Amino acid sequence: MASSITSSSSRLFPITRESQPTSHSTLNFSKFASFSSSSSASGSKTSSYISCSLTRDPSVLPLEEQSKLSNGSVLFQRPDSLGRFGKFGGKYVPETLINALTELEAAFHSLSADEDFQKELAGILRDYVGRESPLYFAERLTEHYKRANGEGPQIYLKREDLNHTGAHKINNAVAQALLAKCLGKKRIIAETGAGQHGVATATVCARFGLECIVYMGAQDMERQALNVFRMRLLGAEVRPVHSGTATLKDATSEAIRDWVTNVETTHYILGSVAGPHPYPMMVREFHAVIGKETRKQALEKWGGKPDVLIACVGGGSNAMGLFHEFVDDKDVRLIGVEAAGFGLDSGKHAATLTKGEVGVLHGAMSYLLQDDDGQIIEPHSISAGLDYPGVGPEHSFLKDIGRAEYYSITDEEALEAFKRVSRLEGIIPALETSHALAYLEKVCPTLPNGAKVVVNFSGRGDKDVHTAIKYLKV
Amino acid sequence: METVGLSETFTRLKKQGKVAFIPYITAGDPDLSTTAEALKVLDSCGSDIIELGVPYSDPLADGPVIQAAATRSLAKGTNFDAIISMLKEVVPQLSCPIALFTYYNPILKRGTERFMSTIRDCGVHGLVVPDVPLEETKTLRMEAKNNGIELVLLTTPTTPTNRMKAIVDASEGFVYLVSSVGVTGARASVSDKVQTLLQEIKEATTKPVAVGFGISKPEHVKQVAGWGADGVIVGSAMVKLLGEANSPQEGLKELENLTNSLKSALP
C-alpha cells in the first residue's frame, strides 16, 4: 500500500491517495478472537507485550527496542512499557481493569501493523469523516495581526471543524469503534462533557451497529441539551450522572465504573489523551493524522515546516494530535492554551497545567486541580470541552521538560475571539477552539515577520451559539 | 488498649478455627461522631478487623451506596485531619485493629511517607488502596513497611493466574479477594467463581484471604466461609444502614443488629 507521505514517523496511520473503494468491511475479524478476555492469559507486564517489528514509530516501542534505533534523534520513551511519560501516566485503576488494559494495548499494537485494518480505517477517514482536512491560509486574520510596518506572522487554520460531526473527536471515535469490533466487543461506553465526544461516539456506533451508552453529568445535560438530543437521535442511550458535581469528571468516573463492571463485553471509548495507559498513547495515535497531514500540507504550501503550533487543551487530544508529529522538531514551537474561566485567581477556571498539582485522576498521574485534602475540584470554563480538572499525562510531561508551553485564556477573551474570527474569516469557531484563537492576540506581536503559525481549528461553533447569545451583542 | 495487627489477628483466629468478620464504613457519614460510635459498636459486637473508608470525590471502585456516603460526608466538611483526630481518640478504646481504605490521590497529596507515619501515629494497622496496580505499589509498600503499616493488595476474577501470584506474594496483612467483576455494592448472590478463586489463591499462598464486594446477608457470609475464606468483608450493606437511617441512634442500632446476624452465620 503506497503512501506518498514523506514523514519518517509512524505508519500506524497511513494516508492513502489512491481511491480504494471499500463498500463493506474487508477485515477478517475472526483472527482477533484470541483477544477476547481470557483469564488464562499471561499477566506479567513483559510477556504480554506483542513485539511488533513493523511499528516504526520510536515513541511507542518498548524500552529494549528503542535503544537499538540509531536515527540520532532524542528518543523520548513516549510512553514507556508501563505507560509512563517521565513520571506521568501509568495505570491507576482498580485491579479488575488491568487485564483489559493489557489486552487493549496488545490489540492496538497488533492492529497498527495490520494492513487490512489500516486500509479500512483510512477508507473510513476519507469517505465517511471527510479527511484530509484543509490547511487554510487565514488571509484576513493574518492582515489583522500585521504590525504598523506591515510585518507579521502568517496564520493558517487546520480545519478539523470540517470533519463529519464538526470536530476532531471523530478521528479517535472511528478508530476505537473499529478496534472494538476487532476485539469482539458489542457494547460501547463513553463519557462526555460538552457532548461532542458523545456525539462522535454515538455517530460511529450507528455507523458500525454497536450498542452505545454515553455517561453525561446531569448539569452538563442541561447546558448542552441539543447534543443530548443528537446522541439519542443517533441511537445512543444517554445516562445522567448525579454523583459528585454532576459534570465531566463525574461522568468519567461513572464510565470507568461501568467498565469495571462490564469489562468482558464492553469497550470504553475514552475521549481524550487522559485516562490509564494505553489510552493516552492510543488516542494520540488516532489523532496523529492531524499533524501528519499538516506536515505534508505545509511542505506543499510553503516548502517548509510550521514555526508555531497552537491548540486548545482540555484533556489535550486535539493538541497532541497536532503536536505529536513535530515533538522531535525542536525548531517548531508547541503552544497549548487552557481555560482560565473567570481568571486564574478567581478559583473558577480549568487551567490545570498552570495552577494544578501532580496527582492521580481517572487512572493517570498528571497535573490536576485539587484542594488541600487531595479532593478533585470542579473546574469552570464557558466551554464545556475544556472544563476538565485534569489533563493528559503527555502534556504534563511536555510541560515539565520545557518542550511545550502552556498558557490560558479567560471566558471573556475566548468570546472575543469567537466573534472576531466569525467576522474576519466567516468561520464560527467552537468556544474551545476560540481559546486557541484568542491566544493569537498575545503571541502574534512577538513573532518575526513571516513566521508560519498553524492553529488547530478543533471544532465549529454551531453548538455554542445559544451560549454565546447570552454574552454577545451582535 | 494496644491492638495486634492484621496478620496476627488472622493467626489467632485460625488457631480458634474462626473466620474473621470485617465490616467497612465510610468516615463522616452521617458525621464523624457517629462514625466514632459506630466503630465502638462494631468492635463490641465482635468484629475482628474494621475497615474505615476515607471519603473521596471520585471513588472509581465504589457503587452508588458508598459513593453517596462519600458525597454526604464531604458535604459535611469531613477532611483527613478531622478523621485522624477522631481516630486518635477512638482507637485506644477499641480491641480490634483498623485498616484504612483510601484512594491514591489523598495519599499523594500528603506525601506517602507523611501519610503512613500519620496513620501509624493514631494506631491504624492496615491500609487498602484500590486504584494502585501492583506495578505502582513499590513506594507505597516501602513506606508502609517503614511505618509498620500492613498494605493489603486486591486480586479479582479478571486477574490472570501469574499476576494473582505476584499480588498475593506482595500483599501484607491479608489478601483481599474481590468477589465479582464490578464495583462495591450488595448483590443478590455471591458468584460461585469465588470458590474456584479461593482454591487457586490458597494453592499459591498460606496468607489469609478475605472476600469482599457484594456480601450483605448471613447466607452469603456462610457460603463464603464454607468455601474456605479466612475472612468476610461487608461494606455497602453497613454503609446503607448507617447513612440512610432516620437518626444516628437508629442507624447504630440497625448496624448492631446486622453485625450480630452476620457474625452468627460465621464459624
Side-chain angles (χ1 to χ4, degrees):
Chain A
M1 180 170 54
S3 171
S4 47
I5 314 302
T6 53
S7 160
S8 61
S9 61
S10 170
R11 287 291 177 267
L12 285 175
F13 218 95
I15 302 147
T16 57
R17 287 280 199 81
E18 329 98 347
S19 52
Q20 298 254 3
T22 45
S23 56
H24 60 275
S25 168
T26 53
L27 280 177
N28 175 8
F29 293 122
S30 62
K31 66 178 155 177
F32 296 107
S34 59
F35 290 125
S36 53
S37 267
S38 108
S39 54
S40 59
S42 162
S44 80
K45 65 181 190 282
T46 47
S47 60
S48 64
Y49 180 79
I50 291 178
S51 180
C52 192
S53 57
L54 297 173
T55 305
R56 285 184 222 106
D57 185 338
S59 61
V60 298
L61 288 174
L63 229 50
E64 322 84 64
E65 301 254 11
Q66 289 191 37
S67 55
K68 292 183 203 149
L69 292 176
S70 56
N71 63 4
S73 66
V74 177
L75 292 173
F76 295 118
Q77 295 132 22
R78 292 183 285 116
D80 64 19
S81 56
L82 277 184
R84 309 210 80 100
F85 302 88
K87 71 178 182 207
F88 300 106
K91 297 182 193 182
Y92 293 91
V93 292
E95 171 62 28
T96 310
L97 287 180
I98 296 290
N99 197 47
L101 291 171
T102 306
E103 287 187 346
L104 185 56
E105 188 185 351
F108 171 76
H109 284 301
S110 177
L111 289 175
S112 55
D114 186 283
E115 269 205 33
D116 289 340
F117 180 85
Q118 292 306 322
K119 225 187 249 183
E120 174 93 359
L121 189 47
I124 293 167
L125 286 171
R126 189 188 52 241
D127 298 333
Y128 186 69
V129 174
R131 299 208 75 92
E132 42 180 67
S133 63
L135 182 63
Y136 164 73
F137 174 61
E139 191 183 334
R140 293 194 69 206
L141 262 181
T142 298
E143 196 57 42
H144 174 77
Y145 291 115
K146 277 213 163 90
R147 302 187 271 268
N149 62 2
E151 297 191 338
Q154 302 209 299
I155 315 294
Y156 288 82
L157 305 175
K158 181 58 172 157
R159 304 291 305 278
E160 293 298 296
D161 61 300
L162 292 175
N163 297 337
H164 176 40
T165 67
H168 70 291
K169 294 286 182 193
I170 191 102
N171 301 328
N172 171 54
V174 131
Q176 284 206 44
L178 209 51
L179 187 141
K181 284 206 94 164
C182 289
L183 286 171
K185 305 271 168 118
K186 301 219 162 59
R187 184 178 177 267
I188 300 293
I189 60 176
E191 84 293 341
T192 197
Q196 283 309 104
H197 173 62
V199 168
T201 305
T203 300
V204 303
C205 287
R207 166 70 184 73
F208 290 103
L210 298 163
E211 184 190 351
C212 182
I213 290 148
V214 180
Y215 288 96
M216 195 169 184
Q219 250 204 64
D220 286 337
M221 282 178 73
E222 267 193 49
R223 49 180 177 166
Q224 304 283 317
L226 227 47
N227 270 342
V228 175
F229 175 75
R230 277 192 194 102
M231 286 184 263
R232 288 179 173 152
L233 182 60
L234 292 161
E237 182 192 334
V238 182
R239 287 192 192 166
V241 177
H242 295 280
S243 54
T245 57
T247 55
L248 176 56
K249 72 167 181 75
D250 311 287
T252 310
S253 298
E254 195 59 27
I256 293 174
R257 286 181 202 112
D258 181 316
W259 203 32
V260 171
T261 309
N262 298 297
V263 65
E264 278 143 356
T265 59
T266 302
H267 177 64
Y268 175 22
I269 298 189
L270 223 164
S272 194
V273 287
H277 178 65
Y279 283 102
M281 171 192 73
M282 237 173 48
V283 176
R284 174 195 76 197
E285 290 305 320
F286 290 144
H287 281 303
V289 59
I290 302 173
K292 289 186 185 121
E293 285 177 1
T294 302
R295 186 189 284 283
K296 176 180 75 78
Q297 291 162 326
L299 214 53
E300 280 165 6
K301 286 185 152 46
W302 66 79
K305 293 188 283 197
D307 296 302
V308 185
L309 299 177
I310 307 179
C312 62
V313 175
S317 61
N318 90 85
M320 272 329 297
L322 180 62
F323 293 175
H324 183 55
E325 175 71 17
F326 297 99
V327 169
D328 289 335
D329 293 77
K330 287 307 166 76
D331 48 350
V332 178
R333 234 177 116 183
L334 308 176
I335 296 179
V337 185
E338 293 187 298
F342 291 157
L344 289 178
D345 296 322
S346 68
K348 294 241 164 258
H349 60 78
T352 313
L353 290 165
T354 305
K355 295 289 246 176
E357 288 169 39
V358 180
V360 162
L361 176 63
H362 298 143
M365 180 165 298
S366 194
Y367 279 96
L368 48 107
L369 296 174
Q370 53 184 302
D371 68 14
D372 290 330
D373 228 32
Q375 307 291 344
I376 311 300
I377 304 182
E378 186 190 352
H380 163 77
S381 169
I382 192 175
S383 65
L386 301 185
D387 208 354
Y388 182 62
V391 71
E394 191 163 8
H395 283 293
S396 296
F397 174 66
L398 292 175
K399 175 194 151 90
D400 267 18
I401 61 168
R403 177 63 189 97
E405 308 155 52
Y406 297 90
Y407 305 103
S408 58
I409 284 291
T410 62
D411 287 353
E412 214 182 297
E413 291 167 323
L415 280 164
E416 277 164 22
F418 179 84
K419 198 166 152 185
R420 184 184 313 119
V421 176
S422 300
R423 290 271 159 91
L424 289 179
E425 290 290 345
I427 312 172
I428 302 174
L431 282 173
E432 291 78 11
T433 312
S434 302
H435 286 71
L437 293 163
Y439 193 67
L440 287 169
E441 295 285 294
K442 316 228 164 147
V443 76
C444 287
T446 72
L447 295 174
N449 189 36
K452 305 282 192 284
V453 179
V454 174
V455 179
N456 211 14
F457 208 97
S458 51
R460 62 174 186 242
D462 303 64
K463 65 180 177 68
D464 295 314
V465 292
H466 63 287
T467 301
I469 265 177
K470 296 186 212 154
Y471 299 94
L472 292 179
K473 287 215 172 315
V474 292
Chain B
M1 41 196 137
E2 185 64 39
T3 54
V4 298
L6 310 183
S7 329
E8 272 195 62
T9 302
F10 276 103
T11 309
R12 174 178 48 86
L13 289 168
K14 190 151 187 177
K15 286 201 186 111
Q16 300 165 345
K18 288 193 176 161
V19 173
F21 178 68
I22 308 174
Y24 162 101
I25 55 171
T26 299
D29 181 46
D31 54 57
L32 277 175
S33 51
T34 308
T35 303
E37 285 313 304
L39 291 174
K40 293 180 209 166
V41 165
L42 290 169
D43 183 40
S44 61
C45 289
S47 300
D48 299 294
I49 294 170
I50 304 173
E51 261 192 54
L52 184 64
V54 177
Y56 181 55
S57 55
D58 290 82
L60 295 185
D62 286 309
V65 169
I66 297 182
Q67 280 175 48
T71 306
R72 285 190 297 260
S73 174
L74 289 172
K76 267 245 154 69
T78 307
N79 61 36
F80 187 68
D81 289 338
I83 298 173
I84 294 297
S85 295
M86 182 273 291
L87 286 174
K88 279 206 162 108
E89 266 199 53
V90 175
V91 168
Q93 303 171 47
L94 303 173
S95 64
C96 72
I98 302 276
L100 275 189
F101 184 105
T102 176
Y103 288 83
Y104 198 29
N105 201 55
I107 298 179
L108 282 177
K109 175 74 189 180
R110 258 162 203 88
T112 309
E113 202 280 308
R114 218 180 108 213
F115 181 89
M116 295 295 181
S117 57
T118 303
I119 64 173
R120 189 49 186 138
D121 284 346
C122 61
V124 166
H125 280 277
L127 185 65
V128 185
V129 189
D131 59 347
V132 181
L134 182 64
E135 298 78 4
E136 308 287 2
T137 53
K138 205 160 139 224
T139 315
L140 269 179
R141 276 188 280 149
M142 185 182 70
E143 293 300 345
K145 264 214 163 71
N146 289 347
N147 288 279
I149 297 288
E150 293 164 281
L151 183 69
V152 174
L153 301 182
L154 301 98
T155 182
T156 74
T158 61
T159 307
T161 313
N162 282 2
R163 190 179 167 85
M164 176 275 282
K165 289 183 179 159
I167 292 172
V168 306
D169 232 25
S171 192
E172 300 284 320
F174 62 91
V175 173
Y176 194 133
L177 171 59
V178 176
S179 69
S180 48
V181 178
V183 297
T184 61
R187 290 154 170 87
S189 61
V190 185
S191 160
D192 44 5
K193 242 179 140 181
V194 172
Q195 185 173 21
T196 328
L197 291 167
L198 271 169
Q199 276 163 14
E200 276 180 28
I201 297 172
K202 288 195 163 276
E203 275 163 30
T205 186
T206 52
K207 290 180 190 169
V209 186
V211 180
F213 282 44
I215 299 172
S216 58
K217 303 194 183 117
E219 307 88 84
H220 299 160
V221 161
K222 198 164 179 193
Q223 191 174 35
V224 169
W227 285 334
D230 302 294
V232 242
I233 302 165
V234 180
S236 297
M238 302 264 154
V239 171
K240 199 174 162 83
L241 279 182
L242 203 49
E244 296 179 12
N246 292 324
S247 73
Q249 291 75 20
E250 258 196 58
L252 289 168
K253 192 73 199 132
E254 295 190 37
L255 196 71
E256 196 179 344
N257 293 341
L258 179 61
T259 307
N260 288 332
S261 83
L262 292 172
K263 261 275 323 182
S264 61
L266 280 178

